[in-house]
Amino acid sequence: MDITTQQTTAPPTAPGPAAPADKRAARGATRPGDRIFLGLSRGSGIFVLVLMAAIAAFLTYRASIAIGKNEANFFTSFEWNPSGVPPEFGIAVLVFGTVVSSVIAMVIAVPVSVGIALFITHYAPRRLGGLIGYVVDLLAAVPSIVYGLWGVLVLVPHMGGLYSWLDEYLGWTGVFAWEGGPARSLLTVGILLALMILPIITNVSREVFRQVPRMHEEAALALGATRWEVIRMSVLPFGRSGVISASMLGLGRALGETMAVAMVLSPSFDIGASLLDPGGGTFAQNIASKFNEATVMGQDALIASGMVLFVITLLVNGAARLIIARRKEYSGANA
Amino acid sequence: MAKRIDVSGLNAYYGSFLAIEDISMTVEPRSVTAFIGPSGCGKSTFLRTLNRMHEVTPGGRVEGKVMLDEENLYGAGIDPVAVRREVGMVFQRPNPFPTMSVYDNVAAGLRLNGKHKKSELDDVVEKSLKGANLWNEVKDRLNKPGSGLSGGQQQRLCIARAIAVEPNVLLMDEPCSALDPISTLAIEDLIGELKEQFTIVIVTHNMQQAARVSDRTAFFNLAAVGQPGKLIELDDTERIFSNPSVQATEDYISGRFG
């Protein structure tokens, strides 16, 4: 407000006719560059919201049509026959396949990624670290269709050893039992997804670990901490929320990965006890493999499943934010 | 507990750059020795050679001897991690572990030394916080994050953390430069109490502070930028500030340069 008064009572050096000057003064002095940039950035912000709302509206509308006509339970049915009479379809198999393959991917990828990121930032000589970082960046740029090709042509035929080992030692659990079928199972998909999300998690974690303030590391060093203890006392706690965010980025990709999963998995609409048996399905894979030949009703049913994936992704992100916020006062950010 | 530091012929490098050259001095146990000198004269670098923190900097390396009583810190087979457990350090900016509570900050060093018994830790945490004149202010919030304290409290927390492991020597690198005058006073009083138990070396830019807290003062200087820093003289603080034997010291403390 002070500024406004100063503007209106400004000395006669203020240019321009009196009326526009007053008007401008009421809003505080702005320059064209500021106004244009404000408009652009505000527009971009609103655009994101509108886009999000449009996607949600589209999904909800088409999905509600399909779900309205569905005769089976949408959440528990193992059927996928939306074009039948009566239409029957459910997402139980897809939820199971998507969640299980993504969880396998996370279990493998997160520890390995954190290990690579720590090695690059805290152990490797600078040049070696740079080289590894560069190779990991390259991995992130490999298209998923290439991962899919490699998965089906190389990974699937070579899983036999791991599968028989798992069957021999963990087969009694049922989860890792193997009857010698082709390795086009959720486990193989999970392993492939782990490789695909590894670069994202590694890259983000590496940046986070690199930003650990030198003084936090020196605090630990000066207390007589070994290198591992420095990492445990200052690097990992500082990077914790960043690693969670990185993992969520990776999980988002794993949940939504389409092409590579569709190529490796031999899809079926049932849930097997063993992760090693061929079969199963994921949301994205199911949509990709069925959409082209689907009727309008079939498309709407697929869209309904897509909406569930959308909601799962939102929930996962929300959960991650909760985890990060819960210990916010302890985070490195307010140091 | 407090030990004598005896440095002879010490050079410290950053890569090929010689940062401090040929420093020899003795620091008596249970005394406060202040390092003063213009920026870039190597006093902080020298301080960091006393607990082998200098070599943590990429390219950092040291030649010469630092004896802690009978033991050469740079002798063959000496583990720098063990040295740092014996020679504590407080930094310029308070750096409590942001993810740890007040309690855990103080206990951090003890846990590194393998002490995990709750009753034992409780005792040492209380004793160290009392030793750092912080107990009364934080005793009701031991489980709150250490980064939530004021700057002066954080610095005393860092001192508590350093003395909790009962080091032989306590190094302080401009411990008050980020603090207000009242917090500074609190730390200075604390230094006076701590010297009963520890050998204390403090780097400071504040000459009044050096005069107030230290028994002995070392003046460092460098001939020119890019030249190595050298120890000009080390004497009783009273003498340095009243009648130094080197002209450069007199010029510096009387404000003619630096």
Short mmCIF file of all heavy atoms in Angstrom, two decimals, chain B residues 4-10 20-28 33-36 42-43 46-47 49-50 65-68 171 200-203 216-220 230-235:
data_model
loop_
_atom_site.label_atom_id
_atom_site.label_comp_id
_atom_site.label_asym_id
_atom_site.label_seq_id
_atom_site.Cartn_x
_atom_site.Cartn_y
_atom_site.Cartn_z
N ARG B 4 48.77 -33.20 24.88
CA ARG B 4 49.59 -32.15 24.27
C ARG B 4 49.70 -32.42 22.77
O ARG B 4 49.86 -33.56 22.33
CB ARG B 4 50.99 -32.18 24.91
CG ARG B 4 52.01 -31.27 24.20
CD ARG B 4 53.39 -31.32 24.85
NE ARG B 4 53.41 -30.61 26.12
CZ ARG B 4 53.38 -31.20 27.31
NH1 ARG B 4 53.35 -32.51 27.40
NH2 ARG B 4 53.40 -30.48 28.41
N ILE B 5 49.59 -31.34 22.00
CA ILE B 5 49.78 -31.46 20.56
C ILE B 5 51.15 -30.88 20.23
O ILE B 5 51.48 -29.78 20.67
CB ILE B 5 48.72 -30.66 19.77
CG1 ILE B 5 47.31 -31.04 20.23
CG2 ILE B 5 48.86 -30.88 18.28
CD1 ILE B 5 46.24 -30.13 19.68
N ASP B 6 51.92 -31.64 19.46
CA ASP B 6 53.25 -31.17 19.09
C ASP B 6 53.41 -31.34 17.58
O ASP B 6 53.52 -32.45 17.08
CB ASP B 6 54.30 -31.98 19.86
CG ASP B 6 55.64 -31.26 19.89
OD1 ASP B 6 55.80 -30.28 19.12
OD2 ASP B 6 56.51 -31.66 20.68
N VAL B 7 53.39 -30.23 16.88
CA VAL B 7 53.45 -30.26 15.42
C VAL B 7 54.86 -29.89 14.98
O VAL B 7 55.44 -28.95 15.53
CB VAL B 7 52.46 -29.25 14.81
CG1 VAL B 7 52.46 -29.32 13.29
CG2 VAL B 7 51.06 -29.49 15.35
N SER B 8 55.39 -30.66 14.02
CA SER B 8 56.69 -30.24 13.50
C SER B 8 56.77 -30.42 11.99
O SER B 8 56.35 -31.43 11.45
CB SER B 8 57.82 -31.02 14.19
OG SER B 8 57.55 -32.39 14.16
N GLY B 9 57.26 -29.38 11.34
CA GLY B 9 57.52 -29.40 9.89
C GLY B 9 56.32 -29.79 9.06
O GLY B 9 56.42 -30.59 8.13
N LEU B 10 55.16 -29.18 9.36
CA LEU B 10 53.94 -29.62 8.68
C LEU B 10 53.65 -28.77 7.44
O LEU B 10 53.60 -27.55 7.51
CB LEU B 10 52.76 -29.55 9.65
CG LEU B 10 51.48 -30.13 9.07
CD1 LEU B 10 51.01 -31.30 9.91
CD2 LEU B 10 50.40 -29.08 8.99
N ILE B 20 49.80 -24.47 3.40
CA ILE B 20 50.53 -24.00 4.58
C ILE B 20 51.89 -24.68 4.60
O ILE B 20 52.04 -25.83 4.21
CB ILE B 20 49.77 -24.30 5.90
CG1 ILE B 20 49.27 -25.73 5.94
CG2 ILE B 20 48.63 -23.33 6.10
CD1 ILE B 20 48.64 -26.11 7.26
N GLU B 21 52.88 -23.93 5.02
CA GLU B 21 54.25 -24.39 4.87
C GLU B 21 54.97 -24.42 6.22
O GLU B 21 54.93 -23.46 6.97
CB GLU B 21 55.00 -23.46 3.90
CG GLU B 21 56.40 -23.95 3.58
CD GLU B 21 57.10 -23.04 2.58
OE1 GLU B 21 56.64 -21.91 2.37
OE2 GLU B 21 58.12 -23.49 2.03
N ASP B 22 55.58 -25.56 6.48
CA ASP B 22 56.56 -25.72 7.54
C ASP B 22 56.08 -25.15 8.89
O ASP B 22 56.68 -24.21 9.41
CB ASP B 22 57.88 -25.06 7.12
CG ASP B 22 59.01 -25.50 8.04
OD1 ASP B 22 58.88 -26.59 8.63
OD2 ASP B 22 59.99 -24.75 8.18
N ILE B 23 55.00 -25.70 9.39
CA ILE B 23 54.47 -25.20 10.65
C ILE B 23 54.92 -26.12 11.79
O ILE B 23 54.81 -27.34 11.69
CB ILE B 23 52.93 -25.11 10.59
CG1 ILE B 23 52.58 -24.00 9.61
CG2 ILE B 23 52.34 -24.85 11.97
CD1 ILE B 23 51.17 -23.63 9.55
N SER B 24 55.45 -25.51 12.82
CA SER B 24 55.82 -26.25 14.02
C SER B 24 55.27 -25.49 15.21
O SER B 24 55.43 -24.27 15.29
CB SER B 24 57.34 -26.36 14.15
OG SER B 24 57.88 -27.02 13.02
N MET B 25 54.60 -26.18 16.10
CA MET B 25 54.13 -25.53 17.32
C MET B 25 53.74 -26.57 18.35
O MET B 25 53.53 -27.74 18.02
CB MET B 25 52.93 -24.60 17.04
CG MET B 25 51.64 -25.32 16.69
SD MET B 25 50.20 -24.27 16.94
CE MET B 25 50.43 -23.03 15.70
N THR B 26 53.66 -26.12 19.58
CA THR B 26 53.21 -26.99 20.65
C THR B 26 51.98 -26.37 21.29
O THR B 26 51.93 -25.16 21.51
CB THR B 26 54.31 -27.15 21.71
OG1 THR B 26 55.47 -27.64 21.06
CG2 THR B 26 53.89 -28.13 22.78
N VAL B 27 50.97 -27.22 21.51
CA VAL B 27 49.77 -26.76 22.20
C VAL B 27 49.67 -27.52 23.51
O VAL B 27 49.66 -28.75 23.51
CB VAL B 27 48.52 -26.99 21.33
CG1 VAL B 27 47.27 -26.61 22.09
CG2 VAL B 27 48.62 -26.21 20.03
N GLU B 28 49.66 -26.78 24.62
CA GLU B 28 49.66 -27.42 25.93
C GLU B 28 48.28 -27.98 26.27
O GLU B 28 47.26 -27.42 25.87
CB GLU B 28 50.07 -26.40 27.01
CG GLU B 28 51.49 -25.89 26.87
CD GLU B 28 52.51 -27.02 26.99
OE1 GLU B 28 52.27 -27.97 27.77
OE2 GLU B 28 53.54 -26.98 26.30
N THR B 33 44.14 -22.37 22.77
CA THR B 33 45.03 -21.70 21.84
C THR B 33 44.19 -21.16 20.69
O THR B 33 43.40 -21.89 20.11
CB THR B 33 46.08 -22.68 21.29
OG1 THR B 33 46.81 -23.22 22.40
CG2 THR B 33 47.03 -21.98 20.34
N ALA B 34 44.34 -19.87 20.41
CA ALA B 34 43.57 -19.25 19.32
C ALA B 34 44.46 -19.08 18.11
O ALA B 34 45.64 -18.73 18.24
CB ALA B 34 43.02 -17.90 19.78
N PHE B 35 43.89 -19.34 16.93
CA PHE B 35 44.58 -19.06 15.67
C PHE B 35 43.94 -17.82 15.06
O PHE B 35 42.73 -17.81 14.83
CB PHE B 35 44.42 -20.22 14.67
CG PHE B 35 45.10 -21.50 15.07
CD1 PHE B 35 44.92 -22.64 14.28
CD2 PHE B 35 45.94 -21.57 16.18
CE1 PHE B 35 45.54 -23.83 14.62
CE2 PHE B 35 46.57 -22.76 16.52
CZ PHE B 35 46.36 -23.89 15.74
N ILE B 36 44.76 -16.79 14.82
CA ILE B 36 44.22 -15.62 14.14
C ILE B 36 45.05 -15.38 12.89
O ILE B 36 46.15 -15.92 12.73
CB ILE B 36 44.24 -14.37 15.03
CG1 ILE B 36 45.67 -14.04 15.48
CG2 ILE B 36 43.33 -14.56 16.25
CD1 ILE B 36 45.78 -12.67 16.15
N GLY B 42 45.52 -19.93 5.93
CA GLY B 42 45.71 -21.36 6.18
C GLY B 42 45.42 -21.78 7.60
O GLY B 42 45.68 -22.93 7.96
N LYS B 43 44.83 -20.91 8.43
CA LYS B 43 44.61 -21.31 9.83
C LYS B 43 43.56 -22.42 9.93
O LYS B 43 43.73 -23.36 10.71
CB LYS B 43 44.25 -20.11 10.71
CG LYS B 43 43.09 -19.27 10.22
CD LYS B 43 43.08 -17.91 10.94
CE LYS B 43 41.82 -17.12 10.61
NZ LYS B 43 41.60 -16.87 9.15
N PHE B 46 45.15 -25.58 8.65
CA PHE B 46 46.02 -26.16 9.67
C PHE B 46 45.19 -26.87 10.74
O PHE B 46 45.52 -27.99 11.16
CB PHE B 46 46.90 -25.07 10.28
CG PHE B 46 47.79 -25.58 11.38
CD1 PHE B 46 48.67 -26.64 11.15
CD2 PHE B 46 47.74 -25.03 12.65
CE1 PHE B 46 49.47 -27.12 12.17
CE2 PHE B 46 48.54 -25.51 13.67
CZ PHE B 46 49.41 -26.57 13.42
N LEU B 47 44.10 -26.22 11.16
CA LEU B 47 43.25 -26.83 12.18
C LEU B 47 42.77 -28.20 11.71
O LEU B 47 42.75 -29.17 12.48
CB LEU B 47 42.04 -25.92 12.46
CG LEU B 47 41.20 -26.33 13.66
CD1 LEU B 47 41.89 -25.88 14.94
CD2 LEU B 47 39.81 -25.73 13.60
N THR B 49 44.21 -30.20 9.77
CA THR B 49 45.24 -31.25 9.73
C THR B 49 45.36 -31.92 11.11
O THR B 49 45.91 -33.00 11.22
CB THR B 49 46.63 -30.70 9.34
OG1 THR B 49 47.05 -29.79 10.36
CG2 THR B 49 46.60 -30.00 8.01
N LEU B 50 44.84 -31.26 12.14
CA LEU B 50 45.02 -31.79 13.50
C LEU B 50 44.07 -32.93 13.80
O LEU B 50 44.24 -33.61 14.81
CB LEU B 50 44.85 -30.66 14.54
CG LEU B 50 45.82 -29.48 14.41
CD1 LEU B 50 45.57 -28.46 15.50
CD2 LEU B 50 47.26 -29.97 14.45
N LYS B 65 54.74 -34.02 10.85
CA LYS B 65 54.36 -34.81 12.01
C LYS B 65 53.41 -34.03 12.90
O LYS B 65 53.59 -32.84 13.13
CB LYS B 65 55.61 -35.16 12.84
CG LYS B 65 56.23 -36.45 12.42
CD LYS B 65 57.14 -37.14 13.40
CE LYS B 65 57.99 -36.36 14.34
NZ LYS B 65 59.06 -37.18 14.93
N VAL B 66 52.36 -34.70 13.37
CA VAL B 66 51.52 -34.14 14.42
C VAL B 66 51.50 -35.15 15.55
O VAL B 66 50.93 -36.23 15.41
CB VAL B 66 50.08 -33.88 13.92
CG1 VAL B 66 49.22 -33.35 15.07
CG2 VAL B 66 50.06 -32.89 12.76
N MET B 67 52.19 -34.82 16.66
CA MET B 67 52.23 -35.75 17.78
C MET B 67 51.14 -35.41 18.77
O MET B 67 50.98 -34.25 19.16
CB MET B 67 53.58 -35.67 18.50
CG MET B 67 54.80 -35.92 17.63
SD MET B 67 54.87 -37.59 16.98
CE MET B 67 55.20 -38.52 18.47
N LEU B 68 50.36 -36.42 19.15
CA LEU B 68 49.39 -36.25 20.22
C LEU B 68 49.95 -37.04 21.39
O LEU B 68 49.89 -38.26 21.39
CB LEU B 68 48.05 -36.79 19.76
CG LEU B 68 46.80 -36.27 20.47
CD1 LEU B 68 46.67 -34.78 20.29
CD2 LEU B 68 45.56 -36.97 19.93
N LEU B 171 38.71 -29.16 18.61
CA LEU B 171 39.05 -28.14 17.62
C LEU B 171 37.80 -27.34 17.30
O LEU B 171 36.72 -27.91 17.12
CB LEU B 171 39.57 -28.79 16.34
CG LEU B 171 40.71 -29.79 16.48
CD1 LEU B 171 41.04 -30.40 15.12
CD2 LEU B 171 41.95 -29.12 17.07
N ILE B 200 42.05 -27.21 23.86
CA ILE B 200 41.17 -26.55 22.90
C ILE B 200 41.96 -25.69 21.94
O ILE B 200 42.84 -24.93 22.35
CB ILE B 200 40.11 -25.69 23.63
CG1 ILE B 200 39.22 -26.59 24.48
CG2 ILE B 200 39.29 -24.88 22.64
CD1 ILE B 200 38.19 -25.85 25.27
N VAL B 201 41.65 -25.85 20.64
CA VAL B 201 42.23 -24.99 19.63
C VAL B 201 41.09 -24.32 18.90
O VAL B 201 40.14 -24.99 18.47
CB VAL B 201 43.10 -25.79 18.63
CG1 VAL B 201 43.72 -24.85 17.62
CG2 VAL B 201 44.16 -26.59 19.35
N ILE B 202 41.13 -22.99 18.81
CA ILE B 202 40.01 -22.28 18.20
C ILE B 202 40.53 -21.33 17.12
O ILE B 202 41.49 -20.59 17.35
CB ILE B 202 39.19 -21.52 19.27
CG1 ILE B 202 38.10 -20.67 18.63
CG2 ILE B 202 40.07 -20.66 20.17
CD1 ILE B 202 37.15 -20.06 19.64
N VAL B 203 39.92 -21.42 15.94
CA VAL B 203 40.21 -20.46 14.88
C VAL B 203 39.20 -19.34 15.01
O VAL B 203 38.01 -19.60 15.19
CB VAL B 203 40.07 -21.12 13.49
CG1 VAL B 203 40.10 -20.08 12.39
CG2 VAL B 203 41.17 -22.14 13.28
N ARG B 216 46.91 -18.82 24.77
CA ARG B 216 47.99 -18.61 23.81
C ARG B 216 47.35 -18.24 22.48
O ARG B 216 46.24 -18.68 22.16
CB ARG B 216 48.81 -19.89 23.63
CG ARG B 216 49.29 -20.50 24.92
CD ARG B 216 50.71 -20.18 25.25
NE ARG B 216 51.65 -20.82 24.32
CZ ARG B 216 52.92 -20.44 24.22
NH1 ARG B 216 53.37 -19.42 24.94
NH2 ARG B 216 53.73 -21.06 23.38
N THR B 217 48.06 -17.44 21.70
CA THR B 217 47.54 -17.03 20.40
C THR B 217 48.62 -17.26 19.35
O THR B 217 49.78 -16.91 19.57
CB THR B 217 47.11 -15.55 20.40
OG1 THR B 217 46.04 -15.39 21.33
CG2 THR B 217 46.64 -15.11 19.02
N ALA B 218 48.18 -17.83 18.22
CA ALA B 218 49.10 -18.03 17.10
C ALA B 218 48.65 -17.14 15.97
O ALA B 218 47.47 -17.12 15.62
CB ALA B 218 49.09 -19.49 16.65
N PHE B 219 49.59 -16.40 15.42
CA PHE B 219 49.27 -15.52 14.30
C PHE B 219 49.81 -16.14 13.01
O PHE B 219 50.98 -16.48 12.90
CB PHE B 219 49.86 -14.13 14.51
CG PHE B 219 49.72 -13.23 13.31
CD1 PHE B 219 48.45 -12.87 12.86
CD2 PHE B 219 50.83 -12.76 12.63
CE1 PHE B 219 48.31 -12.04 11.75
CE2 PHE B 219 50.69 -11.93 11.52
CZ PHE B 219 49.43 -11.59 11.08
N PHE B 220 48.91 -16.31 12.04
CA PHE B 220 49.27 -16.86 10.73
C PHE B 220 49.20 -15.75 9.71
O PHE B 220 48.38 -14.85 9.81
CB PHE B 220 48.31 -17.97 10.31
CG PHE B 220 48.42 -19.22 11.12
CD1 PHE B 220 47.85 -19.29 12.38
CD2 PHE B 220 49.08 -20.34 10.63
CE1 PHE B 220 47.94 -20.45 13.14
CE2 PHE B 220 49.18 -21.51 11.37
CZ PHE B 220 48.61 -21.56 12.63
N LYS B 230 51.91 -19.17 6.62
CA LYS B 230 52.94 -19.58 7.57
C LYS B 230 52.56 -19.13 8.97
O LYS B 230 51.82 -18.16 9.13
CB LYS B 230 54.28 -18.94 7.19
CG LYS B 230 54.90 -19.54 5.95
CD LYS B 230 56.22 -18.87 5.65
CE LYS B 230 56.85 -19.55 4.43
NZ LYS B 230 57.99 -18.83 3.91
N LEU B 231 53.11 -19.83 9.93
CA LEU B 231 52.95 -19.39 11.32
C LEU B 231 53.95 -18.27 11.58
O LEU B 231 55.16 -18.45 11.40
CB LEU B 231 53.22 -20.56 12.27
CG LEU B 231 53.23 -20.21 13.76
CD1 LEU B 231 51.87 -19.72 14.22
CD2 LEU B 231 53.66 -21.43 14.58
N ILE B 232 53.46 -17.11 11.94
CA ILE B 232 54.37 -15.99 12.17
C ILE B 232 54.88 -16.04 13.61
O ILE B 232 56.07 -16.01 13.86
CB ILE B 232 53.67 -14.64 11.90
CG1 ILE B 232 53.14 -14.62 10.47
CG2 ILE B 232 54.63 -13.48 12.14
CD1 ILE B 232 54.17 -14.78 9.39
N GLU B 233 53.96 -16.08 14.55
CA GLU B 233 54.42 -16.27 15.92
C GLU B 233 53.34 -16.86 16.81
O GLU B 233 52.14 -16.73 16.52
CB GLU B 233 54.97 -14.97 16.51
CG GLU B 233 53.94 -13.88 16.73
CD GLU B 233 54.55 -12.71 17.50
OE1 GLU B 233 55.20 -12.92 18.56
OE2 GLU B 233 54.38 -11.58 17.04
N LEU B 234 53.78 -17.53 17.85
CA LEU B 234 52.87 -18.11 18.84
C LEU B 234 53.38 -17.69 20.20
O LEU B 234 54.56 -17.88 20.51
CB LEU B 234 52.87 -19.64 18.73
CG LEU B 234 52.23 -20.43 19.87
CD1 LEU B 234 50.73 -20.19 19.93
CD2 LEU B 234 52.51 -21.92 19.70
N ASP B 235 52.51 -17.07 20.97
CA ASP B 235 52.97 -16.58 22.27
C ASP B 235 51.78 -16.50 23.22
O ASP B 235 50.64 -16.77 22.82
CB ASP B 235 53.62 -15.19 22.09
CG ASP B 235 54.74 -14.98 23.12
OD1 ASP B 235 54.65 -15.56 24.22
OD2 ASP B 235 55.68 -14.23 22.79
#
